[in-house]
Amino acid sequence: MIHSACEKNNKREEYLVKQALIWIFSILLLGLSACAQPVATQTPAPTSPAQIEPIAVVLPIPTPQADSCVDCHTDKQSLIDYADPEKEDGGHGSESSGVG
Amino acid sequence: VAPLEPWEKVLVSRDRFLTTAHGEMQCTYCHGGISSAPDKETAHTGIVADPSGASKDNNCATCHQDQSEHFADSLHSNLGGYWTTLIARSSPEAHARLETMFGNHCASCHTTCGDCHISQPQSVGGGFVDGHVINKTPSMSQNCTACHGSRVGNEYLGKNEGIPGDVHFRTARMNCMACHTGAEMHDSSASCKECHAEPVQIENRYSGKPAVDCDACHAQVGKPGDSIVQHTLHGDTLSCQVCHSVQYTNCDSCHVAISEKTGNPFFTTQSTYFTFLIGKNANVTFHRPYEYVVVRHVPADRDAYSFYGADLLSNFDAVPTWAFATPHNIQRKTPQNSSCNCRLTKNFTR
């Protein structure tokens, strides 16, 4: 019985010490934050569209690649002009007779 | 097919082709050559006129892998049906000379991607169908019947005098693609894969399951409730064409040679005539169990390739010259089905 009464008292003391420490820490924290200097944050001044200076950007102009394939094969006259002369017997199997 | 002028064959449409996805690519990407060259000869250095050959690695396959994967093995690409017959009718000693013959006379019918989707086939002179526009669906007249014209095309379109065109064309204006799908064109064994996990060897166009199945549309035929009793009576005994086809083209005795004058290959077919004959099915299979079918005379001849050597077809009789046929001139009413006396008609032969 005596042993358990002592154990109870010890626990109570321990509890009170913990509470005291928490209070001291909280007071210190509040004090320090109150002393801190406010940090000045710069907010950008609003700018109106009229204030923006236009910047001249020089983009590379795509140089059209010479494509003689397209140029010639889309032009009827070029194809006629550059066509190989037709062979005498250009037809495939022109000597054929009967139903194929 | 009307022949195209030389310039017309290679005129690219600025408005229609260059505005397409394919038209945004550099010509040289597919065709090679030198696009910045100052003259025609230099520009055409190393050029490939048809870069869409039947290879899994051709330019088309870069994007169209599904369509290209099996195309090299398709009958349109390898003409395998011809080799099935040539091998059956010959001995191995003749194969080398037959290969030379095949290269000179048959190979021009090889089909590439471009032969169906860009140009007319080379066998009819080539040339763009529509200014190099790559058509998803081939032109019936400038692609399909450009090759399959003298028999299938003329029968289907009713161009044989006195013989009506196919009912599917006359009444419904169905084109080739209505029955023959892209899957069939790109892969001859496509229908086999519906059931077979393992690859199936395709010997000719009548191998395996019919790619065009009449039942697909005429599902009621021969089924309970079918009001036409003959459908049930004849069932698997007669092919559909036995009752629903009319006279069609037959040919005799084709010979091939190389011209002494021009060096060009040519052929001579002895005769062409119309007839309608029913014969015993020489090749009864699971998918074609018919006892009787329509037969067409093919232009085969024992001496067809004598230009390349004597007796190259030493086993000529191994394959019938009256072959299983599926004439493309289907009619609802025909002389055969006009009465129940079909068996008495003079065209019935055993």
Side-chain angles (χ1 to χ4, degrees):
Chain A
M1 287 291 281
I2 296 165
H3 179 73
S4 74
C6 286
E7 199 173 279
K8 245 181 192 178
N9 282 336
N10 286 344
K11 277 187 177 175
R12 184 170 170 75
E13 276 173 21
E14 203 174 286
Y15 172 77
L16 288 171
V17 169
K18 274 184 184 172
Q19 287 289 313
L21 281 170
I22 289 169
W23 276 106
I24 291 162
F25 181 75
S26 302
I27 290 160
L28 273 171
L29 199 67
L30 280 168
L32 285 170
S33 62
C35 295
Q37 290 286 328
V39 181
T41 51
Q42 268 191 327
T43 47
T47 52
S48 66
Q51 287 174 309
I52 298 171
E53 287 286 322
I55 303 163
V57 179
V58 181
L59 292 171
I61 298 164
T63 320
Q65 286 189 323
D67 192 335
S68 51
C69 315
V70 171
D71 292 344
C72 185
H73 279 269
T74 54
D75 182 34
K76 175 182 168 181
Q77 195 55 49
S78 291
L79 292 172
I80 292 169
D81 293 343
Y82 293 114
D84 288 332
E86 274 201 273
K87 291 175 187 168
E88 279 283 310
D89 180 21
H92 203 70
S94 58
E95 287 178 59
S96 297
S97 61
V99 172
Chain B
V1 177
L4 298 173
E5 293 292 330
W7 61 266
E8 207 174 3
K9 291 181 181 179
V10 292
L11 180 67
V12 174
S13 170
R14 192 175 277 277
D15 297 335
R16 291 196 306 283
F17 176 66
L18 295 182
T19 53
T20 66
H22 292 100
E24 289 176 9
M25 295 157 65
Q26 287 281 313
C27 306
T28 51
Y29 178 79
C30 291
H31 293 281
I34 302 167
S35 61
S36 57
D39 59 80
K40 178 185 165 185
E41 281 67 34
T42 315
H44 284 190
T45 305
I47 205 163
V48 181
D50 183 354
S52 68
S55 161
K56 277 196 281 190
D57 305 320
N58 71 14
N59 285 314
C60 309
T62 307
C63 294
H64 304 281
Q65 289 169 345
D66 288 349
Q67 290 81 1
S68 304
E69 191 178 358
H70 301 286
F71 186 63
D73 301 324
S74 81
L75 294 176
H76 267 104
S77 170
N78 64 19
L79 305 178
Y82 287 94
W83 274 111
T84 300
T85 304
L86 286 173
I87 288 170
R89 283 184 168 147
S90 63
S91 60
E93 299 77 53
H95 289 178
R97 278 175 289 175
L98 287 174
E99 279 178 21
T100 305
M101 178 282 301
F102 192 84
N104 288 341
H105 302 279
C106 312
S108 66
C109 289
H110 273 291
T111 308
T112 66
C113 307
D115 282 338
C116 290
H117 296 285
I118 302 174
S119 303
Q120 297 182 157
Q122 286 303 314
S123 55
V124 292
F128 299 150
V129 169
D130 186 15
H132 202 291
V133 171
I134 298 173
N135 295 311
K136 185 180 180 187
T137 304
S139 157
M140 183 168 160
S141 61
Q142 288 183 276
N143 295 117
C144 308
T145 60
C147 285
H148 303 277
S150 54
R151 283 172 278 276
V152 172
N154 287 349
E155 288 163 9
Y156 191 71
L157 301 171
K159 289 185 176 176
N160 294 325
E161 195 175 343
I163 303 172
D166 195 292
V167 66
H168 299 98
F169 180 71
R170 281 190 291 108
T171 61
R173 280 292 184 267
M174 288 166 66
N175 63 17
C176 304
M177 283 64 70
C179 294
H180 297 280
T181 62
E184 178 198 344
M185 298 298 108
H186 298 140
D187 181 2
S188 299
S189 63
S191 60
C192 305
K193 290 170 185 165
E194 292 171 16
C195 297
H196 297 274
E198 297 297 314
V200 175
Q201 180 67 36
I202 296 296
E203 294 181 344
N204 57 43
R205 65 179 182 272
Y206 295 126
S207 288
K209 186 186 171 197
V212 175
D213 191 354
C214 305
D215 291 349
C217 288
H218 303 281
Q220 79 288 359
V221 169
K223 301 289 189 308
D226 185 352
S227 60
I228 301 171
V229 69
Q230 283 79 7
H231 286 158
T232 310
L233 281 174
H234 295 312
D236 290 341
T237 310
L238 307 179
S239 69
C240 303
Q241 286 83 1
V242 168
C243 295
H244 291 285
S245 181
V246 289
Q247 288 201 324
Y248 44 84
T249 309
N250 299 262
C251 296
D252 282 355
S253 190
C254 180
H255 288 73
V256 296
I258 300 291
S259 168
E260 287 181 12
K261 282 191 292 182
T262 64
N264 285 335
F266 69 95
F267 65 86
T268 309
T269 308
Q270 200 172 55
S271 61
T272 302
Y273 49 92
F274 295 100
T275 190
F276 176 87
L277 287 171
I278 300 165
K280 289 281 268 186
N281 184 3
N283 187 25
V284 176
T285 62
F286 174 78
H287 292 294
R288 291 174 184 78
Y290 320 117
E291 191 177 354
Y292 295 101
V293 296
V294 169
V295 290
R296 186 199 300 265
H297 199 272
V298 291
D301 190 282
R302 191 180 298 276
D303 300 319
Y305 314 123
S306 57
F307 179 85
Y308 293 90
D311 206 23
L312 292 185
L313 301 179
S314 55
N315 202 18
F316 183 76
D317 293 331
V319 181
T321 53
W322 288 94
F324 182 106
T326 48
H328 280 55
N329 55 14
I330 298 299
Q331 314 295 327
R332 188 163 182 264
K333 293 185 177 178
T334 64
Q336 305 90 278
N337 66 26
S338 62
S339 76
C340 293
N341 294 326
C342 165
R343 283 174 180 270
L344 301 177
T345 60
K346 64 179 180 181
N347 285 332
F348 187 84
T349 61
R350 282 179 184 267

